[in-house]
Amino acid sequence: MKKLSLLICFILSIQSVNIYSQFIWQQLNGPRGGLVSEIKSNSSGTLFMGSLGGGVFRSTDNGLSWSQKVNGFPGPVFDDGTVAIAVANDGDIFASCFNIGVFRSTNNGESWINTNIPNSFITGLVIDQNKHVYAAAGGGNGVLVTSNNGLNWVQKNNGLPASIQISTICLTAAGELLIGSAHSNNLSVYISTNYGESWSPGTHVNTYPVQIVSSGSNIFSASHGLGVYRTTNSGANWIPVNNGLTNTKINRLSINSIQVLAATDSGVFRSTNNGNNWTKIGFDNKRITEVYVTSSGVVLAAVTGEGIFRTSNNGTNWVNSSAGFNCNGIASVSVSGSNLFAGTAYNGLLRSTDNGNSWLKLSGGFKGSSCELVFTAPGNVLLAQSDSGLFRSTNSGSNWQMVMAGFVSFNNIVSNQSGVLFASGSYPSFGVWKSTNNGLNWDIPDPNFMSSVYSLCVTPNGNLFAGTAGGGVYRSTNNGSTWLQAQPYASVISLTAAPNGYVYGCFNSVSGGQNGIYRSTNYGVSWSIVGLPNTDYFYVKSNSAGHIFAGGFYGSGVLRTTNNGLNWYEVNSGIYNKMITVVYFDNAGYGYAGTYYGGLYKTNISTIGLINISTEIPDKFLLSQNYPNPFNPVTNIDFSVPEKSFVRLSVFDITGRVVEVLLNEELSAGTYKVDWNAANYSSGVYFYRLETEGFADTRKMILAK
């Protein structure tokens, strides 16, 4: 009997750990948008779109909505994306992924296989009527051709300069091939009239062609900073056709028998007379990375950061058609009550009030095209930094006040137990800044400490740590009034403090040692490497359970340790783009991972948080009193569920306002424990409420700081 009891306890402990650790990441429905490289169509009108960080997307409704198609397609590593797409007459699709290769789909994008192309940076793909695929390489390999679906590739560079860097390739209706050379010493167009067997230089020189397109006898070249050129005699002569083009920085061209479209750094332009005259048809002062006209005449335009827009009336009306394209560049994340905020690289600051399902771009005094930092201060005060300054909101982002104008370079903001805020600054805002009134005013308490500070963290005993560029780690025991160098020989990209007081940092450029994750167990007196040596993990973050998460920027994703760095393991399930830009945890322990043009992810369960403490089926619903109570700042809440139920556990303040939703999901029968971390809330009386179908109970708890 004793052995049986021990076995049962062992099984239950395993089940508890599994529920505790086995979470997956789910991509949120936005913020919509991203960076688009190219759009192509097959003969039935199905659209395929390449993106910088999201792989390949497909639309079967003429660009109204999109779905990601990346089964077998590699995730990005660094600045990797789907650069070029080509569709064969038989329906096969070929797509390039920067230096990783060219991939082929035979089932409309549902799955992809890698072809055997040599390691090359492929900038363009075209396919002739005999299904010869021509790949233009930007890294010096010239033109590569396959006649057997990518099993073998052959270089076709006869007549081309050595190590030519090709920016674009075009196949005309007459079977002529044209390539644009991006080499600094040879900015010109080369032409082949024999399917790439030999090449001849054209007369279109010193123009840096970024794209060449053709329709009938008209061939157009988009030249970097010089507008549009046209030839009607197979490249023998080129003439500029820029009348009406108020911006000659052309990024892409699209053409059919009726019109030519130009995507520029300040909108979309249209010509209906072969480029003799141009008219702007949309997007003043917005950078357009791709424009495409479908077979039905619908025009699609990719606006940097904002996504895909669609017009069916030649630009009179544009409608955002980015549904399913959720690949914004995420720079910062924060949660305030039931509000989720995401700062983006090109589309400002957005807010979701429904757990990431829908998003609103915030204005109300907030300015800036980017939002590098958003932080929830005590009392749900929000601070957000854009390229226009530092802003503050006291009403969940509806209205903003600028508190620091001009160029501000705060890298992160932290709060101590007393609610004092500290910000790490680099050029031109060097040093550590301090605010005692929730971000309304800032000063530098120690003007002698003017390093470029990448990161900050605060330990539970109030010690403040600063990671610097090349100067290692500094420590302050008096709220930043003075600083002592604690580790002098590294660039410390990121710092985090665990609840037990241990401090972890991403150390780079370590003099006399290895790069990696370092730890101090004695408040910065000494440091030792604890994992991930010489890797690209540039972001560390602790949840309230003391689990340390490391985020890698060069495609390594997220790793986690639950034993103070002794062992690390990947927790990337569900993440396609593993270029991590930010890791964040809300008070319920849910994790958020922002990616480099791959969107925003959230864990499906709490990372700390929902522990099944007994699988024995209880006889009734029960909500227990939290423990400890009073508490500061973490407390545990136990509850029992006698049958499979959808459970919601919420926290309210004294006014009855919901400040946190700790749980909102279906659970099997059992007894559970949930932690609540109230570090961002002020002292006072709070209530927590358990709701299921047919049962509800509320209890009181006291936060005492």
Side-chain angles (χ1 to χ4, degrees):
M1 182 64 70
K2 184 177 180 180
K3 290 183 178 179
L4 179 60
S5 298
L6 290 173
L7 179 60
I8 292 172
C9 290
F10 176 70
I11 293 172
L12 291 180
S13 68
I14 293 175
Q15 290 173 334
S16 175
V17 171
N18 285 342
I19 292 175
Y20 191 72
S21 60
Q22 287 182 354
F23 60 84
I24 62 173
W25 299 92
Q26 297 174 330
Q27 188 176 29
L28 297 181
N29 186 32
R32 292 178 176 177
L35 292 183
V36 176
S37 56
E38 187 163 32
I39 300 175
K40 289 290 180 67
S41 173
N42 65 13
S43 59
S44 64
T46 298
L47 300 173
F48 298 90
M49 177 176 70
S51 67
L52 180 63
V56 181
F57 288 79
R58 185 181 74 191
S59 175
T60 57
D61 54 11
N62 213 18
L64 286 171
S65 61
W66 302 85
S67 58
Q68 193 177 43
K69 298 297 177 183
V70 291
N71 181 22
F73 201 86
V77 176
F78 178 68
D79 274 357
D80 288 342
T82 314
V83 182
I85 297 176
V87 182
N89 290 334
D90 62 3
D92 282 5
I93 311 156
F94 293 81
S96 71
C97 189
F98 269 45
N99 291 325
I100 300 178
V102 172
F103 292 76
R104 172 178 172 238
S105 174
T106 61
N107 53 9
N108 221 27
E110 291 297 330
S111 61
W112 299 86
I113 56 174
N114 196 354
T115 69
N116 296 318
I117 196 167
N119 186 24
S120 300
F121 168 29
I122 303 302
T123 59
L125 292 168
V126 293
I127 305 174
D128 67 19
Q129 60 184 1
N130 297 315
K131 207 183 179 182
H132 294 171
V133 183
Y134 301 82
N141 284 343
V143 178
L144 298 104
V145 184
T146 179
S147 58
N148 54 10
N149 291 318
L151 291 176
N152 304 101
W153 295 83
V154 180
Q155 284 185 316
K156 298 287 186 177
N157 295 334
N158 183 26
L160 296 178
S163 301
I164 186 173
Q165 298 178 19
I166 303 175
S167 56
T168 182
I169 185 168
C170 172
L171 176 66
T172 70
E176 300 163 325
L177 287 167
L178 293 89
I179 60 171
S181 170
H183 196 281
S184 58
N185 296 324
N186 190 12
L187 305 176
S188 60
V189 171
Y190 287 80
I191 303 169
S192 174
T193 58
N194 54 7
Y195 300 101
E197 293 299 326
S198 61
W199 297 87
S200 302
T203 59
H204 193 32
V205 297
N206 298 321
T207 54
Y208 188 175
V210 296
Q211 191 185 15
I212 302 172
V213 297
S214 69
S215 178
S217 61
N218 291 296
I219 304 173
F220 295 86
S221 167
S223 298
H224 186 80
L226 298 176
V228 180
Y229 286 76
R230 183 185 70 206
T231 179
T232 57
N233 53 11
S234 300
N237 302 100
W238 296 83
I239 60 171
V241 283
N242 295 325
N243 185 35
L245 273 176
T246 57
N247 189 316
T248 55
K249 174 61 174 65
I250 313 297
N251 300 312
R252 298 285 293 177
L253 294 171
S254 184
I255 190 171
N256 62 11
S257 60
I258 298 174
Q259 60 188 332
V260 187
L261 298 166
T264 78
D265 269 9
S266 61
V268 177
F269 290 80
R270 177 175 183 254
S271 174
T272 57
N273 56 6
N274 292 321
N276 292 323
N277 302 96
W278 297 86
T279 303
K280 180 179 282 192
I281 61 171
F283 308 106
D284 287 336
N285 302 317
K286 290 184 182 292
R287 185 171 189 266
I288 315 300
T289 60
E290 168 70 320
V291 63
Y292 184 79
V293 54
T294 71
S295 58
S296 64
V298 170
V299 177
L300 302 173
V303 182
T304 298
E306 298 183 34
I308 308 297
F309 288 77
R310 183 179 187 272
T311 181
S312 56
N313 52 16
N314 296 320
T316 301
N317 303 103
W318 291 89
V319 178
N320 192 304
S321 59
S322 300
F325 181 43
N326 305 317
C327 288
N328 241 301
I330 307 298
S332 54
V333 178
S334 191
V335 173
S336 175
S338 59
N339 297 300
L340 171 61
F341 298 90
T344 67
Y346 286 106
N347 198 26
L349 177 62
L350 298 98
R351 179 185 67 198
S352 174
T353 59
D354 56 5
N355 203 30
N357 187 54
S358 59
W359 296 82
L360 173 69
K361 185 174 180 179
L362 298 179
S363 53
F366 183 83
K367 300 177 181 178
S369 60
S370 66
C371 182
E372 300 86 1
L373 173 63
V374 57
F375 176 77
T376 300
N380 287 328
V381 171
L382 283 172
L383 297 168
Q385 175 188 292
S386 75
D387 46 10
S388 296
L390 182 68
F391 296 82
R392 183 176 186 267
S393 173
T394 58
N395 57 3
S396 300
S398 296
N399 301 100
W400 297 85
Q401 172 190 5
M402 179 182 283
V403 295
M404 292 183 71
F407 181 59
V408 184
S409 59
F410 288 172
N411 295 305
N412 73 319
I413 299 175
V414 296
S415 172
N416 67 11
Q417 294 287 344
S418 301
V420 178
L421 303 182
F422 301 91
S424 61
S426 52
Y427 177 84
S429 311
F430 294 115
V432 175
W433 296 67
K434 177 181 176 182
S435 174
T436 58
N437 56 6
N438 241 0
L440 193 60
N441 302 104
W442 296 83
D443 59 27
I444 300 177
D446 184 3
N448 295 315
F449 182 49
M450 297 299 290
S451 298
S452 180
V453 182
Y454 287 148
S455 54
L456 290 172
C457 73
V458 182
T459 60
N461 72 344
N463 282 354
L464 185 62
F465 288 84
T468 67
V473 181
Y474 285 75
R475 181 184 66 196
S476 175
T477 59
N478 53 12
N479 284 338
S481 295
T482 58
W483 292 87
L484 176 67
Q485 195 174 40
Q487 200 287 339
Y489 304 116
S491 290
V492 184
I493 310 300
S494 178
L495 287 170
T496 191
N500 62 0
Y502 291 2
V503 181
Y504 298 80
C506 294
F507 282 33
N508 199 5
S509 303
V510 180
S511 178
Q514 291 182 307
N515 297 345
I517 307 297
Y518 280 70
R519 182 189 71 193
S520 174
T521 61
N522 51 13
Y523 295 105
V525 175
S526 60
W527 297 80
S528 60
I529 190 168
V530 293
L532 315 182
N534 298 317
T535 55
D536 71 327
Y537 288 90
F538 293 139
Y539 203 95
V540 285
K541 190 71 173 179
S542 173
N543 65 14
S544 61
H547 303 167
I548 309 303
F549 292 74
F553 183 70
Y554 294 113
S556 301
V558 182
L559 265 72
R560 178 194 196 189
T561 178
T562 59
N563 56 7
N564 301 315
L566 181 63
N567 303 106
W568 296 82
Y569 55 94
E570 289 188 5
V571 284
N572 290 322
S573 179
I575 298 180
Y576 169 70
N577 183 330
K578 297 181 179 64
M579 297 179 65
I580 308 300
T581 55
V582 61
V583 178
Y584 176 86
F585 297 97
D586 63 22
N587 289 329
Y590 284 85
Y592 299 81
T595 66
Y596 184 72
Y597 295 105
L600 179 60
Y601 292 82
K602 180 183 178 182
T603 59
N604 64 324
I605 60 174
S606 173
T607 62
I608 55 175
L610 178 64
I611 305 176
N612 189 340
I613 57 179
S614 175
T615 55
E616 182 179 348
I617 298 177
D619 58 1
K620 63 179 179 179
F621 287 102
L622 177 65
L623 178 64
S624 301
Q625 186 63 48
N626 66 300
Y627 179 84
N629 189 41
F631 66 98
N632 179 29
V634 179
T635 190
N636 308 128
I637 301 171
D638 293 357
F639 63 92
S640 297
V641 180
E643 59 191 32
K644 189 174 184 180
S645 306
F646 196 89
V647 178
R648 180 181 176 91
L649 181 62
S650 309
V651 178
F652 302 80
D653 63 16
I654 193 67
T655 68
R657 180 175 62 94
V658 176
V659 297
E660 205 82 57
V661 177
L662 303 181
L663 187 65
N664 191 32
E665 61 186 81
E666 188 175 70
L667 298 178
S668 299
T671 300
Y672 298 85
K673 181 182 78 170
V674 173
D675 297 333
W676 184 45
N677 185 339
N680 290 334
Y681 297 95
S682 57
S683 299
V685 174
Y686 293 84
F687 300 89
Y688 58 100
R689 181 175 177 83
L690 182 72
E691 298 174 275
T692 69
E693 186 176 356
F695 175 83
D697 192 13
T698 304
R699 289 182 177 266
K700 181 173 75 173
M701 56 184 170
I702 299 174
L703 173 61
K705 291 188 174 182

